[in-house]
Amino acid sequence: MLYIDQPIGVGFSYGTDSVTSTVTAAPYVWKLLQAFYTQFPQYENRDFGVFTESYGGHYGPEFADYFEEQNAKIASGTITGQNIKLVALGINNGWFDATIQEKAYVDFSYSNSYKPLITASQHTSYLNTYQSKCLPALQSCSSSGTNSACKNADNVCYNSIEGPLSQTGDFDVYDIRAPSNDPNPPETYVNYLQSSTVTKAIGAKSTYQECPNAPYQQFASTGDNPRSFLSQLSDVVKSGVTTVVWAGDADWICNWFGNQGAAEAVSWPGQAAFKAKSLASYTANGVAAGTFKSVNNFSFARIFGAGHEVPFYQPAVALQVFKQTMQKQPLSST
């Protein structure tokens, strides 16, 4: 299992680069994997899966799509390199498409299964604000693709929808059940990774940084956040890669309403059947763990009682989802 710290500046990564967006990050990750295969050729030709969460709704689809594009170029002789045998893509509580997911903030805040954050009249008011302010800005970003239009959409939607809604009560945006000062998941691992003993043992050349501001500012400068990556996700699903979009149902920031909406918006031959299919019970060792639906190589799951980082809250269920996906199987109850 490889843990990739990117863009440069996060985690243990260091150096200089020109990465200012999800799209410009993809070639660096591909080059990293080429270097890995060169150093460890025994891992060439093994099944390879990409698993991401949160902003991984951008990273996962783009990186997987880029890997497949590079594989095609290698096969045609356009470039030289090691084929990445991509068999799986898993994204939990991802940020895929702002048009779908900004509206989901409004709906989830009103009708999630844990606690309503807004009243019916506030729900109507926020929907009107979404339609009159946020949506037009997002449409301008989508149609023009310019950095300025997308930065504007980011600001408009945050200031009119996401920001105000996040202040409607004392709750953790990563787990609506908990207060804003929620200590979970604990960040004790940061101290561990920053200790000189660990840094020396793993050969790190820099001090671990959890969420440094500089890389964020680079991405913000191009308006990366509101750009949709549904087309790339559609490419991956259409190619036959086993793909799962799954979400802890207590997460607010990348909630399951928006993740299901994004999954149902994926354009592929099975889209109509997938969208029409109802969610069924998903069990792990006979215990109700959530709801799900699968059509061919594409699955969606809502995981009960889990916040943003599903494996922390429901580790056994998360392992089951991971195993089934890596084994190139649609999700199924056990």
Side-chain angles (χ1 to χ4, degrees), residues 142-160:
S142 178
S143 61
S144 73
T146 64
N147 291 353
S148 59
C150 292
K151 282 194 293 182
N152 179 65
D154 199 10
N155 291 331
V156 168
C157 291
Y158 183 83
N159 291 330
S160 64

Side-chain angles (χ1 to χ4, degrees), residues 2-3 32 130 147 215 221-222:
L2 299 176
Y3 291 89
L32 168 68
Y130 168 79
N147 291 353
S221 72
T222 63

Side-chain angles (χ1 to χ4, degrees), residues 9-255:
V10 304
F12 286 113
S13 63
Y14 65 98
T16 56
D17 65 16
S18 56
V19 172
T20 57
S21 66
T22 300
V23 171
T24 55
Y28 284 88
V29 179
W30 181 81
K31 289 173 183 175
L32 168 68
L33 293 176
Q34 295 301 303
F36 175 79
Y37 286 135
T38 299
Q39 189 69 32
F40 302 102
Q42 66 268 34
Y43 296 112
E44 292 178 2
N45 303 313
R46 288 199 183 186
D47 287 351
F48 189 90
V50 175
F51 286 81
T52 68
E53 71 176 17
S54 197
Y55 210 76
H58 277 39
Y59 292 154
E62 173 61 25
F63 294 178
D65 194 28
Y66 184 81
F67 294 168
E68 296 213 297
E69 290 174 353
Q70 295 297 91
N71 285 348
K73 291 178 181 178
I74 292 168
S76 68
T78 307
I79 64 171
T80 58
Q82 175 62 42
N83 183 77
I84 298 172
K85 191 180 176 184
L86 184 69
V87 301
L89 173 62
I91 305 163
N92 80 268
N93 295 86
W95 184 253
F96 304 91
D97 181 278
T99 300
I100 293 169
Q101 294 184 263
E102 289 287 349
K103 180 178 180 294
Y105 281 136
V106 181
D107 294 333
F108 187 81
S109 295
Y110 177 59
S111 59
N112 70 83
S113 59
Y114 293 100
K115 62 177 181 183
L117 301 173
I118 55 177
T119 64
S121 62
Q122 287 176 308
H123 179 250
T124 300
S125 177
Y126 273 109
L127 284 180
N128 290 335
T129 299
Y130 168 79
Q131 291 287 345
S132 63
K133 292 183 178 180
C134 178
L135 182 58
L138 290 170
Q139 289 171 332
S140 177
C141 166
S142 178
S143 61
S144 73
T146 64
N147 291 353
S148 59
C150 292
K151 282 194 293 182
N152 179 65
D154 199 10
N155 291 331
V156 168
C157 291
Y158 183 83
N159 291 330
S160 64
I161 302 294
E162 183 181 350
L165 281 172
S166 70
Q167 299 301 314
T168 54
D170 179 23
F171 69 99
D172 179 3
V173 296
Y174 301 107
D175 184 351
I176 198 170
R177 302 167 296 178
S180 56
N181 62 350
D182 183 13
N184 291 311
E187 294 218 344
T188 47
Y189 64 86
V190 175
N191 295 330
Y192 172 77
L193 292 173
Q194 288 179 343
S195 71
S196 58
T197 306
V198 171
T199 300
K200 183 179 180 181
I202 65 175
K205 305 294 184 183
S206 63
T207 301
Y208 179 85
Q209 297 186 78
E210 176 74 347
C211 287
N213 202 41
Y216 166 78
Q217 293 297 342
Q218 289 283 85
F219 276 57
S221 72
T222 63
D224 195 70
N225 181 75
R227 297 179 189 270
S228 174
F229 283 82
L230 283 182
S231 64
Q232 291 87 336
L233 181 57
S234 299
D235 287 345
V236 176
V237 175
K238 280 187 283 193
S239 76
V241 170
T242 302
T243 304
V244 59
V245 171
W246 52 309
D249 71 357
D251 181 31
W252 181 88
I253 200 78
C254 294
N255 57 69

